[in-house]
């Protein structure tokens, strides 16, 4: 009985059912739409009609940031995703610090659910925001409780409808853009810094491909598939997003579209039946596909942390039939509920999530230089093995990209929000120190050769 319980608490026993098709479906579902529908209006508020340039720049940031993750994902199966990378590169205390920051950064679950409710209210004005957001969060929480394979199949269907709806926005919108004023009136009113700030914020929209490393434990062939999925998803989505941003900022005056959802522009450029399809098949599915995909991958780092003793082993309980970490999913469900019920603004949720995530990414990027020492045998046979100078260059480019994004947003935050971020960081440091000293932490190697 004891052995069986122990077995149910390890990432080694997750179902490895995700092939390239499923990984692409989750990646595109995670990235496509949610950032545009949740954040494009805020980006226009930062930099006017040049928001499309901000999106392309965000993709440059993400591609630089992705370099170390591609090297890592192409070298070994990291069963705990980001958590396993952090612990492997920097040691167990950094892995403990990671857990606190990672958990707090996923307040972004609320952002998707709240945006879903706002877009639905655009079609049905009588719909209340909070109950609908709670219902949306609940549906995909339950979907992922029933197993990742079913969630991945649902994602494929939703992705197809979503892509069609967003293509309608581009096709109907590009002919109506006022190209004569696209680069003059309300173009980058805040100057280069406005474009950079927009780019940093919208990295949350273009970065989702990197998150697929957290599905390494459930992928059939992660070292081959994940690097490709990260690159293709990031580049394709950035181009798609830039076209949408050009329409969103170039049809109506910026004074009307700044900090507003896309349905305002969609209503102006589309016939009513197409508009309804866009909102239902585009906006609503974009947000739900991201919510579904996020629930699919966020549990793996916490599950591995339970295996290592950072959290009580019971929290890492895996359902024997569905192979899903039930208690961890419940925890993230609560994390998503809190901002919804307390009325936090989407911009505040997004800024917090971006800063916290990039603090973690910076450590992993800079730590990539340690791969040859930490995992020499796997590095020797890695498809991404390179000279020390090239490895250092990839590490520095990725790390500096993360640091720039953190600083740009942090120094534009309100004082209360900045204080909260500092407190979360301090809590992460204290937790790592105290829990490790307690003797409860017994890290196991959570990466492996295929």
């Amino acid at each position: 009985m004891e052995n069986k319980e122990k077995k149910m608490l390890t990432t080694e026993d997750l179902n490895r059912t995700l092939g390239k098709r499923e990984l692409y479906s989750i990646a595109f579902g995670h990235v496509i739409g949610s950032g545009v529908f949740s954040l494009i209006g805020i980006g226009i508020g930062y930099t006017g009609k040049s928001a499309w340039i901000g999106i392309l720049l965000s993709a440059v940031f993400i591609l630089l940031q992705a370099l170390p993750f591609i090297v890592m994902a192409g070298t070994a199966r990291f069963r705990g995703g980001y958590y396993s990378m952090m612990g492997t590169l920097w040691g167990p205390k950094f892995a403990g610090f990671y857990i606190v920051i990672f958990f707090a950064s996923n307040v972004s679950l609320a952002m998707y659910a709240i945006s879903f409710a706002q877009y639905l209210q655009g079609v049905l004005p009588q719909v209340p925001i909070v109950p609908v957001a709670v219902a949306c969060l609940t549906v995909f929480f339950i979907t992922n409780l029933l197993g990742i394979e079913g969630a991945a199949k649902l994602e494929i269907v939703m992705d197809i409808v979503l892509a069609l709806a967003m293509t309608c926005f581009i096709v109907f919108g590009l002919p109506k853009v006022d190209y004569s004023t696209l680069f003059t009136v309300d173009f980058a009113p805040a100057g280069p810094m406005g474009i950079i700030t927009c780019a940093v914020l919208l990295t949350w929209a273009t970065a989702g491909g990197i998150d697929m490393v957290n599905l390494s434990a459930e992928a059939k062939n992660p070292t081959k598939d994940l690097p490709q999925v990260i690159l293709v998803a990031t580049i394709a989505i950035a181009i798609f997003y830039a076209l949408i941003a050009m329409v969103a900022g170039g049809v109506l005056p910026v004074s009307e579209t700044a900090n507003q959802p896309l349905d305002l522009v969609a209503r102006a450029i589309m016939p009513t039946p197409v508009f309804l399809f866009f909102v239902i098949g585009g906006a609503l599915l974009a947000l739900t596909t991201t919510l579904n995909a996020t629930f699919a991958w966020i549990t793996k780092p916490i599950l591995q942390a339970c295996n290592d003793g950072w959290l009580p082993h019971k929290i890492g309980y895996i359902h024997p039939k569905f192979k899903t970490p039930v208690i961890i999913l419940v925890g993230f469900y609560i994390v998503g509920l809190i901002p919804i019920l307390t009325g936090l603004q989407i911009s505040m949720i997004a800024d917090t999530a971006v800063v916290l995530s990039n603090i973690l990414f910076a450590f992993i990027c800079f730590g990539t230089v340690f791969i040859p020492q930490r995992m020499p045998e796997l590095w020797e046979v890695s498809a991404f093995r390179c000279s020390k100078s090239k490895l250092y260059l990839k590490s520095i480019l990725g790390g500096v990209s993360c640091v720039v994004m953190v600083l740009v947003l942090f120094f534009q935050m309100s004082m209360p929000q900045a204080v909260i971020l500092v407190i979360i960081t301090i809590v992460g440091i204290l937790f790592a120190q105290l829990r490790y000293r307690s003797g409860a932490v017994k890290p196991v190697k959570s990466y492996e050769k295929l």
Side-chain angles (χ1 to χ4, degrees), residues 158 161-166 275-286:
M158 293 194 296
V161 178
L162 168 60
L164 288 173
M166 295 185 70
F275 168 73
L276 292 175
F277 173 65
F278 171 76
V279 173
I280 297 171
L284 299 186
L285 275 187

Side-chain angles (χ1 to χ4, degrees), residues 14-98:
L14 294 171
N15 289 329
R16 295 177 178 178
T17 57
L18 301 179
K20 190 178 293 185
R21 184 183 68 172
E22 289 80 14
L23 289 171
Y24 267 119
S25 73
I26 294 175
F28 281 111
H30 184 43
V31 184
I32 288 181
S34 64
V36 167
F37 289 107
S38 302
L39 302 176
I40 192 65
I42 299 171
I44 292 173
Y46 277 127
T47 190
K49 293 182 179 180
S50 57
W52 65 274
I53 297 177
I55 286 179
L56 294 177
L57 181 58
S58 77
V60 174
F61 281 137
I62 293 305
L63 288 173
L64 292 175
Q65 186 185 83
L67 289 174
F69 289 95
I70 289 172
V71 171
M72 295 284 286
T75 299
R77 180 195 296 277
F78 289 89
R79 297 196 308 272
Y82 294 146
Y83 166 85
S84 295
M85 291 179 176
M86 181 76 89
T88 299
L89 297 172
W90 289 101
K93 289 185 181 179
F94 282 87
F97 168 75
Y98 169 88

Side-chain angles (χ1 to χ4, degrees), residues 30-31 34-36 39 43 54-65 111-112 195-211 234 237-238 241 350-351 353-355 357-358 361 401-402 404-406 408-409:
H30 184 43
V31 184
S34 64
V36 167
L39 302 176
I55 286 179
L56 294 177
L57 181 58
S58 77
V60 174
F61 281 137
I62 293 305
L63 288 173
L64 292 175
Q65 186 185 83
M111 178 175 70
Y112 308 133
I195 296 178
I196 293 173
T197 303
C198 171
V200 171
L201 176 67
L202 286 168
T203 57
W204 191 254
T206 53
I210 299 177
D211 290 334
T234 301
I237 296 309
Y241 277 10
D351 287 349
V354 170
V355 170
S357 295
N358 278 286
F361 288 173
S401 175
C402 297
V404 168
M405 288 189 275
V406 168
V408 167
L409 284 184

